[in-house]
Amino acid sequence: MIMALYTATAKVHGGRQGKVESSTGALDVSLVMPKELGGGGGNGTNPEEMFAAGYGACYQSALANVARKAKVNVTDTVVTSNVMIDKDPSDDGFKLSVRLDVSIPGLSKEEALDIAKQAHEFCPYSKATRGNIDVELNIV
């Protein structure tokens, strides 16, 4: 049995060229297929952008949690979440991969990588994707 502390709910109409609405009303956006995937582009978002936003926000919160426990200041930290979609040669379908560009001013590259790796172990998005998609941590 799932024991949820919080449940986010979104309704999607029309797939990649439709609309998504959250149950709270805070999210109400059009979905468009990117030109790079054969779509028309235009105003709207896509599942990869929404996943990038969610993963980046979750990961940055995990980073702050790990840093606070290590007594490291990460106030000016910036996480850029890059979600890529590519062909999956194993089944002629598609696959996702992620690169998290992490900037932690004031830390050496080695110190930043250590904190970034710990956050990757702690982050719920990282846990959910572990073993399923490639995730690269890039210290910038």
Side-chain angles (χ1 to χ4, degrees):
M1 175 186 288
I2 296 173
M3 301 295 289
L5 296 174
Y6 169 74
T7 300
T9 303
K11 288 185 182 179
V12 179
H13 309 271
R16 285 185 167 271
Q17 301 197 82
K19 180 179 180 158
V20 63
E21 303 164 309
S22 66
S23 59
T24 64
L27 184 64
D28 185 355
V29 296
S30 296
L31 299 171
V32 296
M33 181 79 78
K35 289 181 181 181
E36 297 85 349
L37 297 178
N43 293 332
T45 190
N46 58 65
E48 292 73 33
E49 283 184 338
M50 290 189 291
F51 187 70
Y55 199 158
C58 186
Y59 179 80
Q60 189 161 21
S61 291
L63 194 68
N65 184 288
V66 167
R68 184 175 54 253
K69 289 178 183 175
K71 300 190 184 328
V72 173
N73 182 4
V74 294
T75 304
D76 296 324
T77 297
V78 176
V79 173
T80 303
S81 178
N82 304 276
V83 173
M84 286 83 54
I85 189 167
D86 200 1
K87 290 281 192 175
D88 186 345
S90 70
D91 65 3
D92 292 328
F94 298 94
K95 65 179 183 171
L96 295 177
S97 59
V98 173
R99 186 184 72 242
L100 298 172
D101 295 333
V102 182
S103 171
I104 308 176
L107 296 184
S108 70
K109 191 166 187 169
E110 294 77 23
E111 292 169 322
L113 183 58
D114 181 54
I115 295 289
K117 285 180 178 179
Q118 290 179 54
H120 186 50
E121 291 299 313
F122 186 77
C123 174
Y125 273 66
S126 294
K127 289 177 183 179
T129 60
R130 190 164 293 123
N132 296 311
I133 65 174
D134 293 329
V135 177
E136 175 187 351
L137 298 176
N138 182 39
I139 305 303
V140 295

